[in-house]
Amino acid sequence: MNAIEGMLTGFQVAFSIEGIMFVLIGVLVGTFIGMLPGLGPISAIAVMIPITFGMDPAPALVMMAGVYYGAIFGGSTSSILLNAPGVSGTVATAFDGYPMAQQGKAGKALAIAAISSFVGGTVSVVLLMLFAPMLSSVAISFDPPAYFALMFLGLTAITSLSEGSTIKALISAVVGFMVVTIGIDPQTGTQRFTFGNVNLLEGIDFLVIALGLFALAEVCTLIINRKDLSFDNKHKLGSLKISKEEFKEMRGPMTRQSFLGFILGVLPGAGATIASFIGYITEKRISKKPEEFGKGSVKGLAAPETANNAATSGAFVPLLSLGIPGSGTTAVMLGAFLVLGVQPGPLLMTDRPEIFWGIIASMYIGNVFLLILNLPLIPYISKILKIPRPLLISLVIMFSIIGVYAISFNTFDLYMLLLFGVVGFLMRLFSFPAPPFILAFILGGMMEQAFRQSLTISNGSFMVFVESPIALCLLILGLLSFVFPMIGYLRRSKKTKQG
């Protein structure tokens, strides 16, 4: 069965009354879950597994897929309006989305996020349809040395995330590396930096850190500046209209990040979070005005929103073609497949084409539904900005606590949330950027694991990183992307001293 015949089979499933209904339910639930800080699609899909037990697998899995990409689509709302990421994949959205909302352009920010998400999701579905079987072999070709090199390339972007002082950005990243090592060593089983506390054996969850450094730190800032009326004046909807100039600015990032996000999504372990960060960093590096990033840049908002939605579709390549989950959410999706009696893998396309192609075809409809649902609702969603500040602060704290507690049902995580909230506020106070901390935390664990696996494979020889062509190319790119900004930084410092 070729791609065209497969898509016709898929559209028969997706365009049936049952298919349309379950796609709509999935994206609605996903959008709502995505808007609530901390909950995320994993919890929603896990809850739906027993509910869908005994159903026809095709519509059930179509609905769960809708929850997944719907949550990423909707997660930008709380990032933009409250600086409280709804899901981990929308942390980078807050870098420019929230400053734009503070400038009285919340409506425009939400519109840019919705359009970018739609473009990224739609382009990636086309790529998924055309290249899913072929790209599964690309995913397999990424061995541990190549993964280490990819993570290294991502980490060289720390200098791009510095807001002024490069030294402070590097310090922030080092702390992020230190935090990610907390817990049990995955290779030896040794406890690291747990200080005898059993609650730290599994490490610290990413959302605890993200909500602490962004949401609670923002709450602390609002409380400290509670008498500053300018904060209230900034929180206005503004116009939803995107000018021709702004749309021209969006076109480049949307085109580039649709492809880059999809490719990163295909790689098992990368996912929407890494794709959004790398998308943001890439656009900042190639921009003619990098100083605008972090201050409400249109490109800075469009890039991560396009990349994370593109990566969501890309994550289905290893899941459907190989039966390998590429992220925590697709791991739960794999469990849903098995519970419903479906074995994802190389034979899924031939044995169960209505499921393989049905999921892909449903994404076309789902992305259209998401755009139609989100754009008209922007004026109503943004009314959250009109909530009195004391009540808004209470709501952010409440949703952050609910989101963190729902992950593990452990009160210790709430204390950690408070701790990182204080850390985030102190970082703001002393001008230490939070993004390098987050990036180091995300990539550090995977980088360490890939590094140690590589040395195990090669019996301790570092030549394994040079012998792999993919790893060698990525390492060279990483070194170049680190060296050139540092040379520019040293030249600027020299000119400043001479002046």
Side-chain angles (χ1 to χ4, degrees):
M1 181 180 286
N2 59 36
I4 296 173
E5 290 175 353
M7 281 308 296
L8 290 173
T9 303
F11 280 122
Q12 286 178 350
V13 174
F15 277 107
S16 65
I17 295 172
E18 188 182 40
I20 291 171
M21 183 179 72
F22 279 104
V23 170
L24 184 59
I25 292 170
V27 297
L28 274 172
V29 171
T31 302
F32 179 72
I33 292 292
M35 288 179 184
L36 300 176
L39 293 184
I42 294 179
S43 307
I45 293 171
V47 168
M48 283 187 170
I49 290 175
I51 296 172
T52 56
F53 183 74
M55 282 177 55
D56 182 5
L61 292 168
V62 159
M63 179 173 67
M64 291 187 200
V67 171
Y68 181 25
Y69 56 81
I72 300 294
F73 200 106
S76 59
T77 303
S78 53
S79 289
I80 291 169
L81 298 182
L82 303 174
N83 201 26
V87 293
S88 58
T90 60
V91 171
T93 303
F95 297 168
D96 280 279
Y98 186 67
M100 197 177 286
Q102 285 188 308
Q103 294 165 15
K105 301 175 184 175
K108 184 171 288 188
L110 290 169
I112 290 170
I115 293 167
S116 302
S117 298
F118 173 75
V119 172
T122 304
V123 171
S124 63
V125 173
V126 175
L127 295 173
L128 179 61
M129 177 192 76
L130 297 174
F131 303 114
M134 185 182 71
L135 284 171
S136 59
S137 59
V138 175
I140 294 174
S141 66
F142 261 70
D143 51 2
Y147 267 106
F148 169 78
L150 180 65
M151 299 302 126
F152 175 76
L153 177 61
L155 281 172
T156 57
I158 285 171
T159 52
S160 298
L161 293 173
S162 60
E163 298 166 5
S165 172
T166 305
I167 300 299
K168 287 184 177 180
L170 292 172
I171 292 170
S172 180
V174 169
V175 177
F177 271 124
M178 292 168 66
V179 172
V180 80
T181 57
I182 295 171
I184 295 177
D185 187 313
Q187 204 156 358
T188 64
T190 308
Q191 293 183 27
R192 302 189 297 191
F193 307 113
T194 58
F195 305 102
N197 192 324
V198 293
N199 293 297
L200 291 172
L201 291 177
E202 294 183 5
I204 300 171
D205 193 271
F206 171 73
L207 277 171
V208 173
I209 294 172
L211 289 172
L213 292 182
F214 290 97
L216 289 197
E218 184 64 31
V219 164
C220 292
T221 304
L222 288 172
I223 292 171
I224 296 295
N225 298 294
R226 60 187 179 276
K227 293 182 180 179
D228 187 355
L229 298 177
S230 65
F231 274 76
D232 295 320
N233 296 331
K234 290 175 183 176
H235 286 167
K236 294 178 181 178
L237 172 62
S239 172
L240 272 68
K241 188 177 179 181
I242 299 172
S243 66
K244 286 183 180 179
E245 289 75 19
E246 287 167 332
F247 191 75
K248 282 181 182 177
E249 282 188 71
M250 292 167 60
R251 271 191 319 201
M254 287 193 300
T255 304
R256 287 185 289 270
Q257 301 314 319
S258 292
F259 289 93
L260 180 60
F262 178 75
I263 292 167
L264 290 170
V266 168
L267 304 176
T273 307
I274 292 175
S276 63
F277 270 89
I278 291 180
Y280 181 85
I281 292 158
T282 304
E283 291 303 324
K284 185 175 181 180
R285 283 196 164 174
I286 64 176
S287 174
K288 293 178 181 177
K289 298 177 181 178
E291 68 280 357
E292 292 181 357
F293 281 68
K295 300 174 184 176
S297 166
V298 171
K299 290 183 178 180
L301 176 55
E305 273 303 291
T306 306
N308 61 24
N309 281 270
T312 304
S313 299
F316 280 91
V317 171
L319 177 65
L320 296 175
S321 301
L322 303 170
I324 299 172
S327 63
T329 309
T330 49
V332 178
M333 281 287 292
L334 176 62
F337 271 87
L338 298 176
V339 167
L340 292 166
V342 179
Q343 178 63 56
L347 298 177
L348 181 65
M349 192 187 302
T350 52
D351 292 350
R352 303 296 296 271
E354 77 282 3
I355 292 175
F356 184 94
W357 294 107
I359 290 173
I360 295 173
S362 71
M363 292 181 183
Y364 282 105
I365 306 169
N367 278 298
V368 173
F369 277 155
L370 285 166
L371 188 67
I372 293 170
L373 286 169
N374 280 269
L375 280 179
L377 289 176
I378 286 174
Y380 303 100
I381 294 170
S382 59
K383 285 189 184 295
I384 194 170
L385 296 176
K386 295 183 179 179
I387 297 173
R389 194 191 297 182
L391 182 57
L392 184 62
I393 289 170
S394 304
L395 285 172
V396 172
I397 293 172
M398 183 185 75
F399 282 127
S400 298
I401 289 172
I402 291 171
V404 167
Y405 188 72
I407 296 167
S408 61
F409 299 101
N410 187 350
T411 52
F412 180 79
D413 284 347
L414 300 180
Y415 293 115
M416 296 306 296
L417 175 68
L418 180 62
L419 172 65
F420 281 103
V422 174
V423 169
F425 175 70
L426 291 174
M427 287 175 74
R428 287 186 178 203
L429 199 63
F430 295 102
S431 303
F432 281 86
F437 183 108
I438 294 288
L439 184 65
F441 183 85
I442 293 168
L443 299 180
M446 289 187 287
M447 188 176 180
E448 181 200 7
Q449 187 177 359
F451 180 74
R452 294 174 71 177
Q453 285 175 343
S454 302
L455 293 181
T456 302
I457 292 167
S458 64
N459 291 322
S461 172
F462 287 93
M463 290 301 292
V464 69
F465 298 106
V466 182
E467 291 166 356
S468 169
I470 298 174
L472 182 61
C473 291
L474 290 172
L475 284 172
I476 292 170
L477 283 172
L479 288 170
L480 291 175
S481 64
F482 182 75
V483 169
F484 282 129
M486 292 304 291
I487 291 172
Y489 172 74
L490 292 172
R491 282 179 178 173
R492 287 194 299 271
S493 300
K494 191 176 180 181
K495 285 180 181 178
T496 305
K497 288 178 181 178
Q498 287 175 349

